[in-house]
Amino acid sequence: MKKILAFLLCFTVGFSALGQIHDPIQWKTSVEKVSETTYNLVSTATIEGEWHLYAQEVPKGGPIPTTFTYDDEGGKIKIVGNTSEPEGKIKFTTLFGEEGMNIKSFAKKAVFKQEIELVDASVNQINAFVEFIACTDEMCLPPKEVDLVFDLTKATAVTASTDATKEVKTAGEVASKETKKEEKRGLWGIFFIAFLSGFAALLTPCVFPMIPMTVSFFTKQSKSKSQGIRNAIIYGISIIAIYVFLGWFVSLVFGPSALNALSTNVWFNIVFFLILVIFAVSFLGAFEITLPSSWATKVDSQADRGGLIGIFFMALALAIVSFSCTGPIVGTLLVEASTKGVLAPIIGMLGFSLAIALPFALFAAFPGWLNSLPKSGGWLNTVKVVLGFLELALAFKFLSNADLVLQLHLLEREVFIAIWIAIFGALAFYLFGKIQLPHDSPISHISVGRLSLGLIVLSFTIYMIPGLWGAPLNLISAFPPPQHYSESPYGVGFTKKGTASVQQDNHEALPEGAHLMPPHDIISFHDYDKGLAYAKKVGKPVMLDFTGHACVNCRKMEQNVWVKPKVLDVLKNKVVLISLYVDDKRPLKDDEVVESKLNPGKKLKYIGQKWSELQTIKYKANSQPFYVLMNHDESNISDPVGYMPDADEYFNWLEEGITNFKK
């Protein structure tokens, strides 16, 4: 069961647009005068955005700690004790090892204080330096040293050392509050999605019919209306407690390390594809996936005990019996939430269970409301079948991710679109009543709602058909493989004529190491050195395109922005494009394998690792897409940018760089 749950957790999201920061940590110094001979040297770090600074003590094998070194001026001052630091926050990270570790760090602002005593009263200035490393949750900059100068003549008086301690603590609290504000926004999004997922699960045939059964139980067991309401509330709280415990269990056992960077992990994508296919086939009626019946039997026997314990085991019985319908939803939700932090799975399960618990608790408290519920029947199985079709379509996205990363070209764009056309076409026929599955009830007519949904699905199916002939399909651009990853890059049965076609057919016409990127016909290099050499030869600026095979926003830029005539003209004629895939899993040549500068002791084994480290170290960013316009001396001619869906804004950025290149 543990393995099944682990596999269910293997879901991920695509990359988002980056935030680029230069020198994210700035240092300032000040001095506090405690007495005639005692001073506090105060070093204040201002930390930008999502960056953080590590503590003075870190686990073995972790990052370099923040270290202060003070000049005692040849024995003229005495260093008293250690440098104090804020409370900070302990966070789990896998930046310094696959197993991960808990490290104390600071965000927004950190105040460090060192007490000193003057041995020689003539000293007016103290020199020091701090060594540190700046990191986000995904990357680190190279270690850095900053000189610190403390002017004793500008010291401000403090009444006691306790004031200093209080100030340090306050700074840590402020930083912690700011960090929590940022986390809260993401957690609200997780809660909302989970809440909607809970209502979707509520409408499945495993859950919905249990509402009247539950109401019947509480009606018989409760001697008064007030007791019935109390029992219903306890029942709802029990449901929430069970699912929240599941979220806590996932955070505890698996943690962020097991779910780190799974968007391009081949095996996890393949495993999750297989799991979704199995659940989809189950939803379509081929078989039922249930937990062992002995579990439900034992739990039901405990529910008969009555009282608070009996109510709790009734809630547990609901979770077990409904597993075949809620399992895929809960598993996908847990994985999505787990990639966003330790608290996210707990918040996700809170939202999911709240949506499940509310109807049960309300109808149990007010049984008269049951009359307003639609009757259980064939429509419940229809909901389950529709979910099965959707899961089947989603499954092929994971298989496509694995194929893209490995560049096997087994599931190219036309094949993917054809599979989706078949799946959604079959779903449309099902909704129109032309296809019946094993657990469907006979229907003499279809409802207006079912007809409306069928028309929507049919329209979507027809919309995808031109994609086989090269249509961009902007509505689903994040799902199919990119247009250049196809059997016929210009569309099925279509041969493009002109110079681009001649270049495509005659590889000698292309520069060494260059490729044509259909359907735009942009000459693109995947090798940094060859692309730079060609740019010098033709006298054009270089545009570095840090991208990824499984990068959703990269595909949106290529299909929605690069196709605009004025943007396309620049990319084809005014710059030399070098596309560097950071998730390229092809191995480096033996003579190219080097030690990582970001993670000393580890080797760069894959092409994608090489480009990812280049982007991280040189440009202080690691999200894709990431675009750099640079001169032949590899200096930037404009500020790099990330995901920019506004074509006019993107064109203006390109023109600015080209203008600077010509100066």
Side-chain angles (χ1 to χ4, degrees):
M1 180 59 199
K2 183 176 179 181
K3 290 182 178 179
I4 293 177
L5 181 58
F7 288 150
L8 281 173
L9 298 179
C10 303
F11 178 79
T12 188
V13 293
F15 293 105
S16 61
L18 80 153
Q20 184 191 11
I21 301 175
H22 298 283
D23 297 326
I25 300 180
Q26 303 295 325
W27 292 88
K28 291 184 179 180
T29 61
S30 60
V31 182
E32 296 175 343
K33 185 175 182 179
V34 180
S35 68
E36 289 299 321
T37 59
T38 304
Y39 293 80
N40 288 325
L41 308 182
V42 183
S43 304
T44 303
T46 303
I47 308 164
E48 296 180 2
E50 298 180 352
W51 295 90
H52 51 259
L53 174 71
Y54 288 115
Q56 297 176 88
E57 293 185 7
V58 299
K60 184 178 180 180
I64 67 164
T66 300
T67 305
F68 293 86
T69 303
Y70 302 89
D71 187 355
D72 67 356
E73 303 297 329
K76 293 180 180 181
I77 67 171
K78 179 182 178 181
I79 309 298
V80 181
N82 298 319
T83 303
S84 63
E85 64 183 22
E87 289 183 346
K89 184 176 181 180
I90 297 177
K91 295 181 66 176
F92 185 89
T93 179
T94 57
L95 283 175
F96 310 100
E98 295 180 356
E99 295 181 0
M101 60 184 69
N102 291 311
I103 308 178
K104 179 181 177 181
S105 62
F106 315 108
K108 303 302 180 185
K109 183 180 179 181
V111 180
F112 301 84
K113 296 195 177 186
Q114 175 63 58
E115 183 179 349
I116 60 105
E117 289 183 1
L118 291 184
V119 178
D120 186 340
S122 65
V123 175
N124 293 323
Q125 178 177 296
I126 298 175
N127 298 307
F129 68 88
V130 58
E131 184 181 15
F132 64 96
I133 187 170
C135 296
T136 66
D137 290 339
E138 299 176 336
M139 60 164 253
C140 290
L141 301 182
K144 187 175 182 180
E145 287 186 6
V146 173
D147 293 326
L148 304 174
V149 178
F150 301 92
D151 190 347
L152 301 186
T153 63
K154 297 181 180 180
T156 56
V158 293
T159 56
S161 60
T162 53
D163 292 338
T165 304
K166 182 178 180 180
E167 184 176 339
V168 173
K169 182 177 180 181
T170 302
E173 289 174 349
V174 171
S176 179
K177 288 180 181 178
E178 292 296 324
T179 302
K180 288 179 180 178
K181 286 181 182 178
E182 293 182 3
E183 292 176 350
K184 188 180 293 185
R185 289 192 288 268
L187 293 177
W188 272 113
I190 287 291
F191 179 86
F192 180 71
I193 294 173
F195 193 77
L196 294 180
S197 300
F199 274 119
L202 190 69
L203 297 177
T204 59
C206 312
V207 183
F208 190 84
M210 296 188 70
I211 295 178
M213 294 170 55
T214 303
V215 173
S216 175
F217 174 83
F218 283 113
T219 302
K220 294 178 180 179
Q221 295 294 324
S222 304
K223 298 179 180 179
S224 64
K225 184 176 180 180
S226 60
Q227 186 181 15
I229 294 175
R230 186 201 67 179
N231 290 344
I233 292 174
I234 295 172
Y235 181 69
I237 293 175
S238 298
I239 294 174
I240 294 173
I242 290 168
Y243 281 101
V244 169
F245 173 80
L246 178 60
W248 171 82
F249 177 80
V250 168
S251 297
L252 179 67
V253 175
F254 299 98
S257 60
L259 300 163
N260 183 46
L262 296 182
S263 60
T264 59
N265 187 291
V266 174
W267 292 111
F268 277 126
N269 276 286
I270 292 175
V271 167
F272 205 68
F273 160 74
L274 294 174
I275 290 174
L276 280 183
V277 168
I278 292 171
F279 273 112
V281 173
S282 172
F283 274 23
L284 294 176
F287 51 83
E288 289 290 333
I289 300 176
T290 58
L291 293 176
S293 58
S294 59
W295 292 17
T297 303
K298 291 180 180 178
V299 170
D300 283 338
S301 65
Q302 295 295 322
D304 293 335
R305 296 171 59 178
L308 298 180
I309 295 178
I311 294 174
F312 173 81
F313 276 100
M314 272 200 65
L316 184 58
L318 169 68
I320 293 174
V321 172
S322 63
F323 173 80
S324 62
C325 291
T326 60
I329 301 174
V330 171
T332 303
L333 179 63
L334 279 173
V335 175
E336 170 69 14
S338 296
T339 60
K340 302 188 186 320
V342 177
L343 275 180
I346 299 175
I347 298 299
M349 287 299 94
L350 176 62
F352 181 86
S353 59
L354 185 62
I356 293 284
L358 272 176
F360 278 92
L362 288 174
F363 283 115
F366 307 101
W369 293 1
L370 275 178
N371 296 328
S372 62
L373 275 182
K375 300 291 184 180
S376 297
W379 69 273
L380 287 176
N381 189 67
T382 301
V383 172
K384 189 175 179 181
V385 169
V386 171
L387 287 175
F389 276 108
L390 294 178
E391 284 194 354
L392 188 60
L394 182 61
F396 282 94
K397 172 58 181 172
F398 293 97
L399 186 61
S400 174
N401 284 344
D403 182 62
L404 279 168
V405 171
L406 292 175
Q407 290 290 287
L408 298 177
H409 289 267
L410 298 177
L411 190 61
E412 294 181 316
R413 183 177 177 86
E414 295 91 343
V415 179
F416 185 96
I417 294 174
I419 291 172
W420 268 39
I421 290 173
I423 291 173
F424 285 96
L427 175 57
F429 278 108
Y430 172 79
L431 291 171
F432 291 141
K434 301 302 181 182
I435 297 176
Q436 282 201 325
L437 293 172
H439 300 295
D440 286 333
S441 302
I443 54 174
S444 57
H445 66 280
I446 60 174
S447 65
V448 175
R450 184 165 175 165
L451 175 64
S452 301
L453 181 59
L455 289 173
I456 292 173
V457 174
L458 180 60
S459 300
F460 177 66
T461 305
I462 296 173
Y463 165 79
M464 289 190 291
I465 293 175
L468 297 173
W469 282 267
L473 304 182
N474 292 334
L475 287 179
I476 58 170
S477 59
F479 288 94
Q483 287 180 298
H484 62 81
Y485 193 81
S486 56
E487 296 177 1
S488 301
Y490 301 105
V492 175
F494 180 70
T495 301
K496 191 165 184 175
K497 298 180 180 180
T499 58
S501 180
V502 172
Q503 285 183 327
Q504 186 183 31
D505 295 332
N506 183 8
H507 293 285
E508 294 182 358
L510 287 173
E512 182 184 358
H515 307 268
L516 274 183
M517 181 185 289
H520 312 308
D521 293 332
I522 303 172
I523 296 177
S524 173
F525 291 84
H526 298 325
D527 185 282
Y528 183 94
D529 295 327
K530 291 180 179 179
L532 180 59
Y534 179 73
K536 292 178 180 179
K537 179 180 178 181
V538 298
K540 296 179 182 179
V542 172
M543 189 180 98
L544 296 182
D545 167 30
F546 288 96
T547 184
H549 295 297
C551 171
V552 173
N553 285 336
C554 302
R555 301 294 85 77
K556 289 181 179 179
M557 287 293 294
E558 293 163 6
Q559 296 184 27
N560 301 335
V561 177
W562 286 16
V563 295
K564 302 299 181 183
K566 57 184 180 181
V567 174
L568 188 57
D569 177 64
V570 172
L571 296 178
K572 291 176 66 174
N573 303 312
K574 298 181 180 181
V575 299
V576 174
L577 177 65
I578 303 177
S579 296
L580 305 176
Y581 288 82
V582 300
D583 57 359
D584 192 333
K585 299 299 183 182
R586 291 177 298 165
L588 287 165
K589 296 179 181 177
D590 293 338
D591 58 348
E592 294 180 338
V593 175
V594 296
E595 184 173 332
S596 170
K597 296 179 180 179
L598 291 177
N599 299 300
K602 287 192 172 183
K603 298 288 187 181
L604 298 180
K605 299 179 180 179
Y606 303 107
I607 294 176
Q609 291 177 325
K610 176 182 178 180
W611 303 137
S612 179
E613 181 147 313
L614 170 67
Q615 181 191 358
T616 302
I617 293 177
K618 188 172 183 178
Y619 301 106
K620 303 178 180 67
N622 75 333
S623 297
Q624 292 78 44
F626 184 75
Y627 305 109
V628 181
L629 283 172
M630 69 180 196
N631 214 326
H632 297 158
D633 61 359
E634 302 180 61
S635 62
N636 294 351
I637 53 179
S638 64
D639 291 333
V641 298
Y643 178 58
M644 191 180 288
D646 188 320
D648 291 331
E649 186 179 359
Y650 190 73
F651 173 75
N652 292 336
W653 172 77
L654 289 169
E655 284 293 294
E656 177 190 356
I658 294 171
T659 301
N660 293 336
F661 174 77
K662 294 177 180 179
K663 289 181 179 179

